[in-house]
Coordinates of all heavy atoms in Angstrom, one line a residue:
M113 N 278.1 194.0 19.9 CA 277.1 193.5 18.9 C 276.0 192.8 19.6 O 276.2 192.0 20.6 CB 277.9 192.5 18.0 CG 277.0 191.8 17.1 SD 277.9 190.9 15.8 CE 277.5 191.8 14.4
P114 N 274.8 193.1 19.2 CA 273.6 192.5 19.9 C 273.5 191.0 19.7 O 273.9 190.5 18.7 CB 272.4 193.2 19.3 CG 272.9 193.8 18.0 CD 274.4 193.9 18.1
D115 N 272.9 190.3 20.7 CA 272.5 188.9 20.5 C 271.4 188.8 19.5 O 270.5 189.5 19.6 CB 272.1 188.3 21.9 CG 273.2 187.9 22.7 OD1 274.4 188.0 22.3 OD2 273.0 187.5 23.9
P116 N 271.5 187.8 18.6 CA 270.4 187.6 17.8 C 269.2 187.0 18.6 O 269.4 186.5 19.7 CB 270.9 186.5 16.8 CG 272.0 185.9 17.5 CD 272.6 186.9 18.4
G117 N 268.0 187.0 18.0 CA 266.9 186.4 18.7 C 265.6 187.2 18.5 O 264.6 186.6 18.2
L118 N 265.7 188.5 18.6 CA 264.5 189.3 18.5 C 264.5 190.0 17.1 O 265.5 190.2 16.5 CB 264.4 190.4 19.5 CG 264.1 189.9 21.0 CD1 264.1 191.0 21.9 CD2 262.9 189.1 21.1
A119 N 263.3 190.2 16.6 CA 263.1 190.9 15.3 C 264.0 192.2 15.3 O 264.1 192.9 16.2 CB 261.7 191.2 15.1
G120 N 264.6 192.4 14.1 CA 265.4 193.6 13.9 C 266.7 193.5 14.7 O 267.4 194.5 14.7
G121 N 267.1 192.4 15.3 CA 268.4 192.3 16.0 C 268.4 193.0 17.3 O 269.4 193.3 17.9
L122 N 267.2 193.3 17.9 CA 267.2 193.9 19.3 C 267.8 193.0 20.3 O 267.6 191.8 20.2 CB 265.7 194.2 19.7 CG 265.0 195.3 19.0 CD1 263.6 195.4 19.5 CD2 265.7 196.6 19.2
D123 N 268.6 193.5 21.1 CA 269.4 192.7 22.1 C 268.5 192.2 23.1 O 268.0 192.9 24.0 CB 270.5 193.6 22.7 CG 271.5 192.8 23.4 OD1 271.2 191.7 24.0 OD2 272.7 193.2 23.5
D124 N 268.3 190.9 23.2 CA 267.3 190.3 24.1 C 267.9 190.3 25.6 O 267.1 190.1 26.5 CB 266.9 188.9 23.8 CG 268.0 187.9 23.6 OD1 269.2 188.2 23.7 OD2 267.7 186.8 23.2
R125 N 269.2 190.7 25.7 CA 269.7 190.8 27.1 C 269.2 192.2 27.7 O 269.2 192.3 28.9 CB 271.2 190.8 27.1 CG 271.8 189.5 26.6 CD 273.3 189.6 26.4 NE 273.6 190.5 25.3 CZ 274.8 190.9 24.9 NH1 275.8 190.3 25.5 NH2 275.0 191.7 23.9
I126 N 268.7 193.1 26.8 CA 268.2 194.4 27.3 C 266.7 194.4 27.2 O 266.0 195.0 27.9 CB 268.8 195.5 26.4 CG1 270.3 195.6 26.6 CG2 268.1 196.9 26.7 CD1 271.0 196.6 25.7
H127 N 266.1 193.7 26.2 CA 264.7 193.9 25.8 C 263.7 193.5 26.9 O 262.6 194.1 26.8 CB 264.4 193.0 24.6 CG 263.2 193.4 23.9 ND1 263.0 194.6 23.2 CD2 262.0 192.7 23.8 CE1 261.8 194.7 22.7 NE2 261.2 193.5 23.0
A128 N 264.0 192.7 27.9 CA 263.0 192.5 28.9 C 262.6 193.8 29.6 O 263.4 194.6 29.8 CB 263.5 191.5 29.9
K129 N 261.3 193.9 30.0 CA 260.8 195.2 30.5 C 261.6 195.7 31.6 O 262.0 196.9 31.6 CB 259.4 194.9 31.0 CG 258.7 196.2 31.5 CD 257.3 195.9 31.9 CE 256.7 197.1 32.6 NZ 255.3 196.9 33.1
L130 N 261.9 194.9 32.7 CA 262.7 195.5 33.8 C 264.1 195.8 33.4 O 264.7 196.8 33.8 CB 262.7 194.5 34.9 CG 261.6 194.6 35.9 CD1 261.7 193.5 37.0 CD2 261.5 195.9 36.5
R131 N 264.8 195.0 32.6 CA 266.1 195.3 32.2 C 266.2 196.5 31.3 O 267.1 197.4 31.5 CB 266.8 194.1 31.4 CG 267.0 192.9 32.4 CD 267.9 191.8 31.8 NE 267.4 191.2 30.7 CZ 266.7 190.0 30.7 NH1 266.3 189.5 31.8 NH2 266.3 189.5 29.6
L132 N 265.2 196.7 30.4 CA 265.2 197.9 29.6 C 265.0 199.1 30.5 O 265.6 200.2 30.4 CB 264.0 197.8 28.6 CG 263.8 199.1 27.7 CD1 265.1 199.4 27.0 CD2 262.7 198.8 26.8
G133 N 264.1 199.0 31.5 CA 263.9 200.1 32.5 C 265.2 200.5 33.3 O 265.5 201.6 33.4
V134 N 265.9 199.4 33.7 CA 267.1 199.7 34.4 C 268.1 200.4 33.5 O 268.7 201.4 33.9 CB 267.7 198.3 34.9 CG1 269.2 198.5 35.4 CG2 266.9 197.7 36.0
M135 N 268.3 199.9 32.3 CA 269.2 200.5 31.4 C 268.8 202.0 31.1 O 269.7 202.9 31.1 CB 269.3 199.7 30.1 CG 269.8 198.3 30.2 SD 271.5 198.2 30.7 CE 272.3 198.6 29.1
A136 N 267.5 202.3 30.9 CA 267.1 203.6 30.6 C 267.3 204.6 31.8 O 267.8 205.7 31.6 CB 265.6 203.6 30.3
I137 N 267.1 204.1 33.0 CA 267.3 204.9 34.2 C 268.8 205.2 34.3 O 269.2 206.3 34.5 CB 266.8 204.2 35.5 CG1 265.2 204.3 35.4 CG2 267.3 205.0 36.7 CD1 264.6 203.4 36.5
L138 N 269.6 204.1 34.2 CA 271.1 204.3 34.4 C 271.7 205.1 33.3 O 272.8 205.7 33.5 CB 271.7 202.9 34.5 CG 271.4 202.1 35.8 CD1 272.1 200.8 35.8 CD2 271.7 202.9 37.1
A139 N 271.1 205.1 32.1 CA 271.7 205.9 31.0 C 271.6 207.4 31.3 O 272.4 208.2 30.8 CB 270.9 205.6 29.7
G140 N 270.7 207.8 32.2 CA 270.5 209.2 32.5 C 271.2 209.7 33.8 O 271.1 210.9 34.1
V141 N 271.9 208.8 34.5 CA 272.5 209.2 35.8 C 273.9 208.6 35.9 O 274.2 207.6 35.1 CB 271.7 208.7 37.0 CG1 270.3 209.4 37.0 CG2 271.5 207.2 37.0
D142 N 274.7 209.1 36.8 CA 276.0 208.5 37.0 C 275.9 207.1 37.7 O 276.6 206.1 37.3 CB 276.9 209.3 37.9 CG 277.3 210.6 37.2 OD1 277.4 210.6 35.9 OD2 277.6 211.6 37.9
E143 N 275.0 207.0 38.6 CA 274.7 205.7 39.3 C 273.3 205.9 40.0 O 272.8 207.0 40.2 CB 275.8 205.3 40.3 CG 276.0 206.3 41.5 CD 277.1 205.9 42.4 OE1 277.8 204.9 42.1 OE2 277.3 206.5 43.4
A144 N 272.8 204.7 40.4 CA 271.5 204.7 41.1 C 271.5 203.6 42.2 O 272.1 202.5 41.9 CB 270.3 204.5 40.2
E145 N 270.9 203.9 43.3 CA 270.8 202.9 44.4 C 269.8 201.8 44.0 O 268.8 202.1 43.3 CB 270.4 203.5 45.7 CG 271.5 204.4 46.3 CD 271.0 205.0 47.6 OE1 270.1 204.5 48.3 OE2 271.7 206.0 48.0
F146 N 270.0 200.6 44.5 CA 269.0 199.5 44.3 C 267.6 200.0 44.7 O 266.7 199.7 43.9 CB 269.4 198.3 45.1 CG 268.5 197.1 45.0 CD1 268.7 196.2 44.0 CD2 267.4 197.0 45.8 CE1 267.9 195.1 43.9 CE2 266.5 195.9 45.7 CZ 266.8 195.0 44.7
T147 N 267.4 200.6 45.8 CA 266.1 201.0 46.2 C 265.5 202.0 45.3 O 264.3 202.0 45.1 CB 266.1 201.6 47.7 OG1 267.1 202.7 47.7 CG2 266.5 200.5 48.7
H148 N 266.2 202.9 44.7 CA 265.7 203.8 43.7 C 265.2 203.1 42.5 O 264.1 203.4 42.0 CB 266.8 204.9 43.3 CG 266.4 205.8 42.3 ND1 265.5 206.8 42.5 CD2 266.7 205.8 40.9 CE1 265.3 207.5 41.3 NE2 266.0 206.9 40.4
L149 N 266.0 202.2 42.0 CA 265.6 201.4 40.8 C 264.3 200.6 41.1 O 263.4 200.6 40.3 CB 266.7 200.4 40.4 CG 268.0 201.1 39.9 CD1 269.1 200.0 39.7 CD2 267.7 201.8 38.5
R150 N 264.3 199.9 42.3 CA 263.2 199.1 42.7 C 261.9 200.0 42.7 O 260.9 199.6 42.2 CB 263.4 198.5 44.0 CG 262.3 197.6 44.5 CD 262.4 197.4 46.0 NE 262.3 198.6 46.7 CZ 262.8 198.8 47.9 NH1 263.5 197.9 48.5 NH2 262.7 200.0 48.5
D151 N 262.0 201.1 43.4 CA 260.8 202.0 43.5 C 260.4 202.6 42.2 O 259.2 202.6 41.9 CB 261.1 203.1 44.5 CG 261.3 202.5 45.9 OD1 261.0 201.3 46.2 OD2 261.8 203.3 46.8
R152 N 261.3 203.0 41.4 CA 260.9 203.6 40.1 C 260.3 202.6 39.1 O 259.4 202.9 38.4 CB 262.2 204.2 39.4 CG 262.7 205.5 39.9 CD 262.1 206.7 39.4 NE 261.8 206.8 38.0 CZ 262.6 207.4 37.1 NH1 263.8 207.8 37.4 NH2 262.3 207.4 35.8
L153 N 260.8 201.4 39.2 CA 260.3 200.3 38.3 C 259.1 199.5 38.9 O 258.5 198.7 38.2 CB 261.5 199.4 37.9 CG 262.6 200.1 37.2 CD1 263.8 199.2 37.1 CD2 262.1 200.5 35.8
G154 N 258.8 199.7 40.2 CA 257.7 199.0 40.8 C 258.0 197.5 40.8 O 257.1 196.7 40.7
A155 N 259.2 197.1 41.1 CA 259.7 195.7 41.1 C 259.8 195.2 42.5 O 260.0 196.0 43.4 CB 261.0 195.6 40.3
T156 N 259.8 193.9 42.6 CA 260.1 193.3 43.9 C 261.6 193.2 44.0 O 262.3 193.2 43.0 CB 259.5 191.9 44.1 OG1 260.1 191.0 43.1 CG2 258.0 191.9 43.9
D157 N 262.1 193.1 45.2 CA 263.6 192.9 45.4 C 264.1 191.8 44.6 O 265.2 191.9 43.9 CB 263.9 192.8 46.9 CG 263.8 194.0 47.7 OD1 263.4 195.1 47.2 OD2 264.0 194.0 48.9
G158 N 263.5 190.6 44.8 CA 264.0 189.4 44.1 C 263.9 189.5 42.6 O 264.9 189.1 41.9
N159 N 262.9 190.0 42.0 CA 262.8 190.1 40.6 C 263.8 191.1 40.0 O 264.5 190.8 39.1 CB 261.3 190.5 40.2 CG 261.0 190.3 38.7 OD1 261.7 189.6 38.0 ND2 260.0 190.9 38.3
L160 N 263.9 192.3 40.7 CA 264.9 193.2 40.2 C 266.3 192.7 40.4 O 267.1 192.8 39.4 CB 264.8 194.5 41.0 CG 265.8 195.6 40.7 CD1 265.7 196.0 39.2 CD2 265.6 196.8 41.5
G161 N 266.6 192.0 41.5 CA 267.9 191.4 41.7 C 268.3 190.4 40.6 O 269.4 190.4 40.1
S162 N 267.3 189.6 40.2 CA 267.6 188.7 39.1 C 267.9 189.4 37.8 O 268.9 189.0 37.1 CB 266.3 187.8 38.9 OG 266.4 187.0 37.8
H163 N 267.2 190.4 37.5 CA 267.5 191.1 36.2 C 268.8 191.9 36.3 O 269.5 192.0 35.3 CB 266.3 192.1 35.9 CG 265.1 191.3 35.4 ND1 265.0 190.8 34.1 CD2 263.9 191.0 36.0 CE1 263.9 190.2 33.9 NE2 263.2 190.3 35.0
L164 N 269.1 192.4 37.5 CA 270.4 193.1 37.6 C 271.5 192.2 37.5 O 272.6 192.5 36.8 CB 270.4 193.8 39.0 CG 269.5 195.0 39.2 CD1 269.5 195.4 40.6 CD2 270.0 196.2 38.3
R165 N 271.4 191.0 38.0 CA 272.5 190.0 37.8 C 272.7 189.6 36.3 O 273.8 189.4 35.9 CB 272.2 188.7 38.6 CG 272.4 188.9 40.1 CD 272.3 187.6 40.9 NE 271.0 187.1 40.9 CZ 270.0 187.5 41.7 NH1 270.2 188.4 42.6 NH2 268.8 186.9 41.7
K166 N 271.6 189.5 35.6 CA 271.7 189.2 34.1 C 272.4 190.4 33.4 O 273.3 190.1 32.5 CB 270.3 189.0 33.5 CG 269.7 187.7 34.0 CD 268.4 187.5 33.4 CE 267.8 186.2 34.0 NZ 266.5 185.9 33.5
L167 N 272.1 191.6 33.8 CA 272.8 192.7 33.1 C 274.3 192.8 33.5 O 275.1 193.1 32.7 CB 272.1 194.1 33.5 CG 270.7 194.3 32.9 CD1 270.0 195.5 33.5 CD2 270.8 194.4 31.3
E168 N 274.5 192.5 34.8 CA 275.9 192.4 35.3 C 276.7 191.3 34.6 O 277.8 191.5 34.1 CB 276.0 192.3 36.8 CG 277.3 192.4 37.4 CD 277.4 192.3 38.9 OE1 276.3 192.0 39.5 OE2 278.4 192.6 39.4
A169 N 276.1 190.2 34.4 CA 276.8 189.0 33.7 C 277.1 189.4 32.3 O 278.1 188.9 31.7 CB 275.9 187.8 33.8
A170 N 276.2 190.2 31.6 CA 276.4 190.6 30.3 C 277.5 191.7 30.2 O 277.9 192.1 29.1 CB 275.1 191.2 29.7
G171 N 277.9 192.2 31.3 CA 278.9 193.3 31.3 C 278.4 194.7 31.1 O 279.1 195.6 30.8
F172 N 277.0 194.8 31.2 CA 276.4 196.1 30.9 C 276.3 197.0 32.1 O 276.2 198.2 32.0 CB 274.9 195.9 30.4 CG 274.9 195.2 29.1 CD1 273.7 194.7 28.6 CD2 276.0 195.1 28.2 CE1 273.6 194.1 27.4 CE2 275.9 194.5 27.0 CZ 274.7 194.0 26.6
I173 N 276.3 196.5 33.3 CA 276.3 197.3 34.5 C 277.3 196.8 35.5 O 277.8 195.6 35.4 CB 274.9 197.3 35.2 CG1 274.5 195.9 35.7 CG2 273.8 197.8 34.3 CD1 273.3 195.9 36.6
A174 N 277.7 197.6 36.4 CA 278.6 197.3 37.5 C 278.0 197.7 38.8 O 277.2 198.6 38.9 CB 280.0 198.0 37.3
V175 N 278.3 197.0 39.9 CA 277.8 197.3 41.2 C 278.9 197.8 42.1 O 280.0 197.4 42.0 CB 277.1 196.0 41.7 CG1 278.2 194.9 41.9 CG2 276.4 196.2 43.0
R176 N 278.4 198.7 43.0 CA 279.3 199.2 44.1 C 278.6 199.1 45.4 O 277.5 199.7 45.5 CB 279.7 200.6 43.7 CG 280.7 201.2 44.7 CD 281.2 202.6 44.3 NE 280.2 203.6 44.1 CZ 279.9 204.4 45.1 NH1 280.4 204.4 46.3 NH2 278.9 205.4 44.9
K177 N 279.1 198.4 46.3 CA 278.5 198.3 47.7 C 279.4 199.0 48.7 O 280.6 198.8 48.6 CB 278.3 196.9 48.0 CG 277.3 196.1 47.1 CD 277.1 194.7 47.5 CE 276.2 194.0 46.5 NZ 275.4 193.0 47.1
Q178 N 278.8 199.7 49.6 CA 279.5 200.4 50.7 C 278.6 200.5 51.9 O 277.4 200.7 51.7 CB 280.1 201.7 50.2 CG 279.1 202.8 50.0 CD 279.8 204.1 49.5 OE1 280.3 204.1 48.3 NE2 279.9 205.1 50.3
V179 N 279.2 200.6 53.0 CA 278.5 200.8 54.2 C 278.4 202.3 54.5 O 279.5 203.0 54.5 CB 279.2 200.0 55.4 CG1 278.5 200.3 56.7 CG2 279.2 198.5 55.1
E180 N 277.2 202.8 54.7 CA 277.0 204.2 55.1 C 276.3 204.2 56.4 O 275.2 203.7 56.5 CB 276.2 204.9 54.0 CG 277.0 205.0 52.7 CD 276.2 205.7 51.6 OE1 275.0 206.2 51.9 OE2 276.7 205.8 50.5
G181 N 277.0 204.6 57.5 CA 276.5 204.5 58.8 C 276.5 203.0 59.1 O 277.6 202.4 59.1
R182 N 275.3 202.4 59.3 CA 275.3 201.0 59.6 C 274.5 200.3 58.5 O 274.1 199.1 58.7 CB 274.6 200.8 60.9 CG 275.3 201.3 62.1 CD 274.6 200.9 63.4 NE 275.4 201.4 64.5 CZ 275.2 201.2 65.7 NH1 274.1 200.4 66.1 NH2 275.9 201.6 66.7
V183 N 274.3 200.9 57.4 CA 273.5 200.4 56.3 C 274.4 200.1 55.1 O 275.2 200.9 54.7 CB 272.4 201.4 55.9 CG1 271.6 200.9 54.8 CG2 271.5 201.7 57.1
L184 N 274.2 198.9 54.5 CA 274.9 198.6 53.3 C 274.1 199.2 52.1 O 272.9 198.9 52.0 CB 275.0 197.0 53.1 CG 275.6 196.6 51.8 CD1 277.1 197.0 51.8 CD2 275.5 195.1 51.7
V185 N 274.7 200.0 51.3 CA 274.1 200.7 50.2 C 274.7 200.1 48.9 O 275.9 200.0 48.8 CB 274.3 202.2 50.2 CG1 273.6 202.9 49.0 CG2 273.7 202.8 51.5
T186 N 273.8 199.6 48.0 CA 274.2 199.0 46.8 C 273.8 200.0 45.6 O 272.6 200.4 45.5 CB 273.5 197.7 46.6 OG1 273.7 196.9 47.7 CG2 273.9 197.0 45.3
R187 N 274.8 200.3 44.8 CA 274.6 201.3 43.7 C 275.0 200.6 42.4 O 276.0 199.8 42.4 CB 275.4 202.5 43.9 CG 274.9 203.4 45.1 CD 275.7 204.7 45.2 NE 275.2 205.5 46.2 CZ 275.6 205.5 47.5 NH1 276.5 204.7 47.8 NH2 275.0 206.3 48.3
Y188 N 274.4 200.9 41.3 CA 274.7 200.4 40.0 C 275.0 201.5 39.0 O 274.4 202.6 39.2 CB 273.5 199.6 39.5 CG 273.2 198.4 40.3 CD1 272.4 198.4 41.4 CD2 273.8 197.2 40.0 CE1 272.1 197.3 42.2 CE2 273.6 196.0 40.8 CZ 272.7 196.1 41.9 OH 272.5 195.0 42.7
H189 N 275.8 201.2 38.1 CA 276.1 202.2 37.0 C 276.3 201.4 35.7 O 276.7 200.2 35.7 CB 277.2 203.1 37.3 CG 278.5 202.4 37.4 ND1 279.0 201.8 38.6 CD2 279.5 202.1 36.5 CE1 280.2 201.3 38.4 NE2 280.5 201.4 37.1
L190 N 276.1 202.1 34.6 CA 276.4 201.5 33.3 C 277.9 201.4 33.1 O 278.6 202.4 33.4 CB 275.7 202.3 32.1 CG 274.2 202.2 32.0 CD1 273.8 203.1 30.8 CD2 273.7 200.8 31.8
T191 N 278.3 200.4 32.5 CA 279.7 200.3 32.0 C 279.8 200.9 30.7 O 278.8 201.1 30.0 CB 280.1 198.8 32.0 OG1 279.3 198.1 30.9 CG2 280.0 198.1 33.3
P192 N 281.0 201.2 30.2 CA 281.1 201.7 28.8 C 280.5 200.7 27.8 O 279.8 201.1 26.8 CB 282.6 201.8 28.6 CG 283.2 202.1 30.0 CD 282.3 201.2 30.9
Q193 N 280.6 199.4 28.0 CA 280.0 198.4 27.2 C 278.5 198.5 27.2 O 277.8 198.4 26.2 CB 280.4 197.0 27.6 CG 279.8 195.9 26.7 CD 280.2 194.5 27.3 OE1 281.1 194.3 28.1 NE2 279.5 193.5 26.8
G194 N 278.0 198.8 28.4 CA 276.5 198.9 28.6 C 276.0 200.1 28.0 O 274.9 200.1 27.3
R195 N 276.7 201.2 28.0 CA 276.3 202.5 27.3 C 276.2 202.2 25.8 O 275.3 202.6 25.2 CB 277.2 203.6 27.7 CG 277.0 204.2 29.0 CD 277.6 205.6 29.2 NE 277.4 205.9 30.6 CZ 276.3 206.4 31.1 NH1 275.2 206.6 30.4 NH2 276.2 206.7 32.4
A196 N 277.2 201.6 25.3 CA 277.3 201.3 23.9 C 276.1 200.4 23.5 O 275.5 200.6 22.4 CB 278.6 200.7 23.5
A197 N 275.9 199.3 24.3 CA 274.8 198.4 24.0 C 273.4 199.1 24.0 O 272.6 198.8 23.2 CB 274.9 197.2 24.9
F198 N 273.2 200.0 25.0 CA 272.0 200.7 25.1 C 271.8 201.6 23.9 O 270.7 201.7 23.4 CB 271.9 201.4 26.4 CG 270.5 202.0 26.7 CD1 269.4 201.3 26.8 CD2 270.4 203.4 26.7 CE1 268.1 201.9 27.0 CE2 269.2 204.0 26.9 CZ 268.0 203.2 27.1
R199 N 272.8 202.3 23.6 CA 272.8 203.2 22.4 C 272.4 202.4 21.1 O 271.5 202.8 20.4 CB 274.1 203.9 22.2 CG 274.1 205.1 21.4 CD 275.4 205.9 21.4 NE 275.8 206.3 22.7 CZ 276.9 205.8 23.3 NH1 277.7 205.0 22.7 NH2 277.3 206.1 24.5
E200 N 273.0 201.3 21.0 CA 272.7 200.4 19.8 C 271.3 199.9 19.8 O 270.6 199.9 18.8 CB 273.7 199.2 19.8 CG 273.5 198.3 18.6 CD 273.8 198.8 17.3 OE1 274.6 199.8 17.2 OE2 273.4 198.2 16.3
Y201 N 270.8 199.5 21.0 CA 269.5 199.1 21.2 C 268.5 200.2 20.8 O 267.5 199.9 20.0 CB 269.2 198.7 22.6 CG 267.8 198.2 22.9 CD1 267.5 196.9 22.8 CD2 266.8 199.1 23.3 CE1 266.2 196.4 23.0 CE2 265.5 198.7 23.5 CZ 265.2 197.3 23.4 OH 263.9 196.9 23.6
V202 N 268.7 201.4 21.3 CA 267.8 202.5 20.9 C 267.8 202.8 19.4 O 266.8 203.0 18.8 CB 268.2 203.8 21.8 CG1 267.4 205.0 21.3 CG2 267.9 203.5 23.3
D203 N 269.0 202.8 18.9 CA 269.1 203.0 17.4 C 268.4 201.9 16.6 O 267.7 202.2 15.6 CB 270.6 203.0 17.0 CG 271.4 204.3 17.5 OD1 270.7 205.2 17.9 OD2 272.6 204.2 17.4
Q204 N 268.5 200.7 17.0 CA 267.8 199.6 16.3 C 266.3 199.7 16.5 O 265.5 199.5 15.6 CB 268.3 198.2 16.8 CG 269.7 197.9 16.3 CD 270.2 196.6 16.9 OE1 269.7 196.1 17.8 NE2 271.3 196.2 16.3
L205 N 265.9 200.1 17.7 CA 264.4 200.3 17.9 C 263.9 201.4 17.0 O 262.8 201.3 16.4 CB 264.2 200.6 19.4 CG 262.7 200.7 19.8 CD1 262.0 199.4 19.5 CD2 262.7 201.0 21.3
A206 N 264.7 202.5 16.9 CA 264.3 203.6 16.1 C 264.2 203.2 14.6 O 263.2 203.6 13.9 CB 265.3 204.8 16.2
T207 N 265.1 202.4 14.2 CA 265.0 201.8 12.8 C 263.8 201.0 12.6 O 263.1 201.1 11.6 CB 266.3 201.0 12.5 OG1 267.5 201.9 12.6 CG2 266.3 200.4 11.1
L208 N 263.5 200.1 13.6 CA 262.3 199.3 13.4 C 261.0 200.1 13.4 O 260.1 199.8 12.7 CB 262.2 198.3 14.6 CG 263.1 197.1 14.6 CD1 263.0 196.3 15.9 CD2 262.7 196.2 13.4
L209 N 261.0 201.2 14.1 CA 259.8 202.1 14.1 C 259.8 203.1 13.0 O 258.9 203.9 12.9 CB 259.8 202.8 15.5 CG 259.6 202.0 16.7 CD1 259.7 202.8 18.0 CD2 258.2 201.3 16.6
G210 N 260.9 203.1 12.2 CA 260.9 204.0 11.0 C 261.3 205.4 11.5 O 260.9 206.4 10.8
L211 N 261.9 205.6 12.6 CA 262.3 206.9 13.1 C 263.7 207.3 12.9 O 264.1 208.4 13.3 CB 262.0 206.9 14.6 CG 260.5 206.6 15.1 CD1 260.4 206.6 16.6 CD2 259.6 207.6 14.5
E212 N 264.5 206.5 12.3 CA 265.9 206.8 12.2 C 266.0 208.1 11.2 O 265.3 208.2 10.3 CB 266.8 205.7 11.6 CG 266.5 205.3 10.2 CD 265.3 204.5 9.9 OE1 264.6 204.1 10.8 OE2 265.0 204.3 8.7
G213 N 267.0 208.9 11.6 CA 267.3 210.1 10.8 C 266.3 211.3 11.0 O 266.5 212.3 10.5
R214 N 265.3 211.1 11.9 CA 264.4 212.2 12.2 C 264.9 213.0 13.3 O 265.5 212.5 14.3 CB 263.0 211.6 12.6 CG 262.3 211.0 11.5 CD 260.9 210.7 11.9 NE 260.2 210.1 10.8 CZ 258.9 209.8 10.9 NH1 258.2 210.0 12.0 NH2 258.3 209.3 9.8
G215 N 264.7 214.3 13.2 CA 265.2 215.2 14.3 C 264.1 215.3 15.4 O 263.0 214.7 15.3
P216 N 264.4 216.0 16.5 CA 263.5 216.1 17.6 C 262.2 216.8 17.3 O 261.2 216.6 17.9 CB 264.3 216.8 18.6 CG 265.5 217.4 18.0 CD 265.7 216.7 16.7
E217 N 262.2 217.5 16.2 CA 260.9 218.2 15.8 C 259.9 217.3 15.1 O 258.8 217.7 14.9 CB 261.2 219.5 15.0 CG 261.8 219.2 13.6 CD 263.3 218.8 13.6 OE1 264.0 219.0 14.5 OE2 263.7 218.3 12.5
S218 N 260.4 216.1 14.7 CA 259.5 215.2 13.9 C 258.5 214.6 14.9 O 258.8 214.3 16.0 CB 260.3 214.1 13.2 OG 261.2 214.7 12.3
P219 N 257.3 214.2 14.4 CA 256.3 213.6 15.2 C 256.7 212.2 15.6 O 257.5 211.5 14.9 CB 255.0 213.6 14.4 CG 255.4 213.9 13.0 CD 256.8 214.5 13.1

C-alpha cells in the first residue's frame, strides 16, 4: 500500500526523480550494477547511493555485492514488494493522467 502524501496516492518513496528512474530501470532487468544506474541516470555516486538506501530501507530493492577479479561489484534488483509497489505506482499515475483502461493503440 502506498504512503499517503502525494496527490492521487502516489508513493512518495518512489516519486523522487532518481528513485523513480532506478525503479523503472530495475523493472526491466534482472539486476543492474551501481555504475550502470549511475551512468544511465546521470547521478553522482553520493546522490544515487542515498536514494538507493531509501529504496532498500523501504524493501523495494535488494543489493548483492561480490568481488570479481580485484573489484567489488555492487548490483541491485527489485524485490517482489518493489515490483508490486512500482506496478501500483504506474497504475496510479495512469489513473491520474486519465489513461487507465486504454490499450497500447490509444494516444
